Amino acid sequence: MPAMSEKKIRPEDDGRDFASAAWSIPSYLLSGMILYGGAGWLLSRWTGVVAFTPIGLILGVALAVYLVYRKYGR
């Protein structure tokens, strides 16, 4: 019989798994929008082309949704 420290906790047995996902999914989405939207905004300010801000926001959301799918969708 394995020792208590060697026993692996499965996500199905841990009630905190749902709470962790409930906080991390919106965090991924917000951080993607902020990071890539901010980069698009900076690029827009630097080049004068206003289209980079919405492109950055859309790209950030798309990549965040992909990361959420990769982490929780399988």
Side-chain angles (χ1 to χ4, degrees):
M1 177 173 276
M4 289 292 280
S5 62
E6 296 174 5
K7 188 176 179 181
K8 291 190 177 193
I9 297 174
R10 296 185 320 194
E12 299 85 23
D13 298 335
D14 191 7
R16 293 176 290 175
D17 188 45
F18 176 75
S20 173
W23 280 104
S24 65
I25 291 172
S27 298
Y28 273 114
L29 294 173
L30 284 174
S31 63
M33 285 180 9
I34 290 170
L35 182 71
Y36 285 98
W41 179 77
L42 287 174
L43 196 59
S44 292
R45 296 279 304 212
W46 185 50
T47 61
V49 179
V50 223
F52 285 126
T53 303
I55 290 172
L57 286 170
I58 292 170
L59 183 65
V61 169
L63 289 174
V65 167
Y66 173 72
L67 286 176
V68 166
Y69 170 74
R70 291 275 302 185
K71 187 169 185 176
Y72 298 108
R74 293 182 182 199

